[in-house]
Amino acid sequence: MDLAANLRQIRAEIAAAAAKANRDSSGIRLVAVSKYKPLAAIEEAAASGQLIFGENYVQELTGKAAAVSVPVEWHFIGHLQSNKVRQIAGLVAMIHSVDRLSLAEEIDRQWGKSGGSCPILVQVNVSGEPTKSGATASEATALIREIAKLPNVSVRGLMTMPPFFDDPEGARPYFRELRELAAAIAGEAIPGVTMAELSMGMSGDFRVAIEEGATLVRIGSAIFGERR
Amino acid sequence: MPESRIILASASPRRAELLESAGIRFQVVPGHIDETPLPAEPPVDHVLRLAAEKAAEVSRREAGDFFIGADTIVLCSGEIMGKPTDAADAARMLRKLSGISHAVITGYAVLAGNGAIRTAAVETRVFFKTLTEREINDYIATGCPMDKAGAYAIQGGAAHMVARIEGSYTNVVGLPLCEVIETLREMGAI
């Protein structure tokens, strides 16, 4: 597994997808999804210029963050239990997966202890699949209005996980709907809320997601290989 | 809460002046790292990586609560312009910048003592007027271009060469102050 070559390949594909959509690729950041991957793989990717790593589990993230020897910007991208927020407070640069007010309230409490604030994305279940986390598209605006009242939480955009399709084109309508929802929410001009970030697209469908406006793509297997 | 100890991991007096102007109390400890780009490294990835590495390098040898690293490049018609190697190189860069627009990109990183890091890159578009050979030579004779990315300093002798900018002014000087202060606030540093 040549991580450096994989990263170069993905950066080139991000640039190509951005060019196809007439976008500046500097507005798209790559989140390397490192769940289940050893620290050595993270450090090897970092040596190849990768800066942002996304983790899905609190315990795994805190363990790696304590041991890593290179500067890493950590993003939390998995389902987050409120009772574990304390362990990542102040450590992660962004939480992509806020799907309920009670979780946002706990993030507000824990970040407030250090006098800081936490950039978050609201996870939206665009497809409405019952197995997926996330607020429904119709709930999202009301949820964001409530979160916006919390002083130590800063809403920066939306995240979604579309249903799985063999053909990445299948995911396009869900990415488009997220972008349109973000535009609608931005139009509400809720104080303190920006819709600058759209976290969408993974190894199989990030090119389509970029064409539909993704600013953060979460890529694991195309960098680190399939899980063994 | 006791005041945080903030360290600016940059040798640039311009970055220090900007931070001072915002009323931030900090120490300057320049970071020393290998600034060679990685193979096929995109410009934004490059400035962000260098910013993070500068902050991390200083954090390994200095006690502090927050470390600020930054790196600025000038991007003109596909060329990444660093500091000129000599007067002839400075003249070449200024001739290329003359009459067109270019991008100034600064990446910054704020690293906390617990290892938490936040990074961002800010881009400003700068429009140069058409320069005469005499203007270029006079400016190079001041010595000012030699330690500046793209061979000019917007706040110095090159101010009259800039017709207009789109975006952050302080970003062109070397540190996007509005964004950096916001990040420091969000991390509880100030």
Side-chain angles (χ1 to χ4, degrees), chain A residues 29 72-73 90 116-117 156, chain B residues 38 44-45 116-119 186:
Chain A
R29 297 187 77 187
V72 165
E73 181 175 309
S117 73
R156 298 286 168 82
Chain B
L38 297 170
V44 169
D45 294 50
I117 192 166
R118 292 197 197 178
T119 63
E186 285 184 352

Side-chain angles (χ1 to χ4, degrees), chain A residues 16 75 87 94 148 165 183 200 202 208 222 224:
Chain A
H75 288 206
Q87 297 176 53
M94 184 174 277
F165 294 93
M200 56 189 197
M202 298 171 69
V208 174
F224 297 107

